[in-house]
Amino acid sequence: LSNYYKSGGRSCRYRKTSQGLSMSKFVTFGEIMLRLKTPGHERFFQSPTFEATFGGGEANVAVALANYGLDAVFVTALPDNDIGECAIREVRGFGVDTTRIRRSGDRVGIYYLETGANQRASKVVYDRATSSICECGPGDFDWEEVFKDAKWFHITGITPALSQSAADLSLEAVKAAKD
């Protein structure tokens, strides 16, 4: 990580400490999905089983930051069911702050992964319509509280592309981060 980052058009400098960067809060926002992968290099439906884990770009960034010993917060929406709770436990297990995850909606987005072999490319199928984050909109998160003491906000172009309400929510988040 560099000593300098851009935030809201202003240059931010992080002090070096004996542990690396001084403790600054990094906020990431996006969808975490249930990842169902075929075993080994098997194709879809060659096996009666899938390996289940979780994944998502913004969650991965939060985990990476936490692995570097930085204060990372992951913001998303997940259903209030066992699958949502398992996703939260997974991210929290890497030292990421999950207290800003909203519990709403009925489902977690899913992606199916078929790992490629030799000349056959990997294949991904997404099933994320009507997932919890897709149904969230402006006013569903207290951004002032989320960004309290935050120095960095990470969002990708994927989140606003999920649905119109997710796009409106993403714009609200970016505007709040800039303030």
Side-chain angles (χ1 to χ4, degrees):
L1 291 175
S2 170
N3 291 340
Y4 294 91
Y5 292 92
K6 290 285 188 183
S7 174
R10 298 177 306 274
S11 179
C12 297
R13 180 171 168 77
Y14 295 95
R15 281 181 303 135
K16 284 285 209 176
T17 66
S18 59
Q19 293 89 20
L21 296 175
S22 64
M23 293 309 288
S24 298
K25 186 167 131 182
F26 295 80
V27 175
T28 69
F29 171 63
E31 183 175 37
I32 187 168
M33 294 175 288
L34 176 62
R35 175 182 182 252
L36 298 176
K37 179 194 167 303
T38 57
H41 296 282
E42 293 182 14
R43 302 189 82 168
F44 294 133
F45 303 109
Q46 278 186 324
S47 171
T49 63
F50 283 103
E51 299 167 2
T53 57
F54 294 94
E58 301 83 3
N60 293 345
V61 168
V63 167
L65 291 166
N67 283 337
Y68 284 115
L70 299 171
D71 185 15
V73 179
F74 179 55
V75 181
T76 193
L78 288 166
D80 192 8
N81 61 31
D82 290 345
I83 304 299
E85 185 59 36
C86 191
I88 291 170
R89 276 196 315 265
E90 180 77 15
V91 174
R92 189 175 43 229
F94 288 100
V96 175
D97 179 348
T98 59
T99 59
R100 300 293 171 207
I101 293 178
R102 176 184 170 84
R103 304 305 293 272
S104 65
D106 295 322
R107 64 184 301 264
V108 174
I110 301 170
Y111 72 98
Y112 302 87
L113 172 63
E114 176 184 282
T115 304
N118 296 322
Q119 299 301 312
R120 180 172 51 87
S122 293
K123 186 184 296 184
V124 178
V125 176
Y126 290 97
D127 176 14
R128 59 197 333 175
T130 70
S131 68
S132 292
I133 195 70
C134 289
E135 296 186 346
C136 283
D140 284 344
F141 291 88
D142 181 354
W143 294 113
E144 186 175 329
E145 189 61 33
V146 167
F147 292 127
K148 185 178 179 183
D149 300 324
K151 300 292 182 191
W152 182 264
F153 179 50
H154 175 79
I155 185 172
T156 68
I158 295 168
T159 305
L162 295 174
S163 67
Q164 184 59 55
S165 60
D168 296 340
L169 176 61
S170 297
L171 182 59
E172 178 185 67
V174 170
K175 287 179 179 178
K178 186 176 179 186
D179 294 340

